Amino acid sequence: MATHKLLLLPGDGIGPEVMAEVKRLIGWLKAEGIAVFETEEGLVGGAAYDAHKVSISEADMAKAKAADAVIFGAVGGPKWDSVPYEARPEAGLLRLRKDLALFANLRPAVCYPALADASSLKREAVEGLDIMIVRELTGGVYFGEPKTITDLGNGQKRAIDTQVYDTYEIERIARVAFDLAKKRRNKVTSMEKRNVMKSGVLWNEVVTQVHKREYPDVTLEHQLADSGGMMLVKWPKQFDVIVTDNLFGDMLSDIAAMLTGSLGMLPSASLGETDAKSGKRKALYEPVHGSAPDIAGKGLANPIAMIASFGMALRYSFDMGALADKLDAAIAAVLASGLRTADIKSEGTTSASTTQMGEAILKELQKLHA
């Protein structure tokens, strides 16, 4: 049986608490002989700054590059608000994405039947929701140069961020979206702002060309990103796969996340190019939620997004789709039983701590795998 190398980066706030539930799951998989993972742990974000005065050390970056996948918790918190900009906790995550060339961010938004009433939208709008947002992750305005703040004198300053995309960057993210759609409901919606942005004009043009040339059997629609955001909160089930750039993807995926009732529910995957020789790709898996420092250490955090992120690792890095399906089913079963962490608690349900939720999911997985 192959041994898979994982780097665990719990990070800050609730990160270590939710990561502990993934470690429990990994331990069971190994004990049962289902899968073997060799794990190392490292520091990232505020934890790394406290130890090394950087957001991630060179040693831990080397571990990330050597791993088959990185499992990432969360970073940040008020404690580090005044650290130098280049050492801010979020810079560790950005460096991981850039140095590992993780250009494709996959964020599913799935509404479990038991949680349809937890959404801010009506049940009929979200029940059965299952969409995938594919966000370009290493280009665009977050990484474009120049990126400066210039003192103009007389109390005035000028800030510049640059939105830059090359053809190949758009082509490769479009292919990820089309390939995913072929395994789902065969529909891609591309979102940009071609009405006011030159990068949007190019984005639209390139996605259209890739579709015509390589994926004519997949349905393609184009939508302006602001209109797309409006439609996400009006009738989200019209979408299957949404592909968009770094900036709009950041915003649209958070909108989609809240359709499900809680940011604590949703996982994500960040993928690199597939190596032609080994067939492997660099990958990082993380929950969509933040570090939630206000509840850190209280046993209140919802571990589902972290556990489901590991499920995405099983699916996209280790070709264990059947096991990932069982893990998803275990999460659904626990929610159907009425067990809830504080963020998704409602009348008539049973409160659970972080650990209790993790234990319940593992127990259901054990039943499904028996």
Side-chain angles (χ1 to χ4, degrees), residues 10-18 46 72-81 89-90 262-265 286-303 305-306 341-343 354:
D12 310 319
I14 63 172
E17 295 170 72
V18 295
F72 185 99
V75 292
K79 177 182 178 182
W80 302 284
D81 282 350
E90 296 77 12
S262 171
L263 277 171
M265 293 297 301
E286 60 175 315
V288 172
H289 63 66
S291 61
D294 56 319
I295 62 168
K298 299 179 180 179
L300 297 174
N302 187 342
M306 187 78 256
T341 46
D343 59 314
T354 307

Side-chain angles (χ1 to χ4, degrees), residues 298-318:
K298 299 179 180 179
L300 297 174
N302 187 342
I304 289 178
M306 187 78 256
I307 292 170
S309 293
F310 179 69
M312 292 187 80
L314 295 176
R315 190 180 303 280
Y316 295 112
S317 282
F318 305 120

Side-chain angles (χ1 to χ4, degrees), residues 37 40 241 243 259-260 338 341 348 366:
F37 294 98
E40 286 190 285
V241 176
V243 63
L259 299 176
T260 68
T341 46
Q366 289 168 343

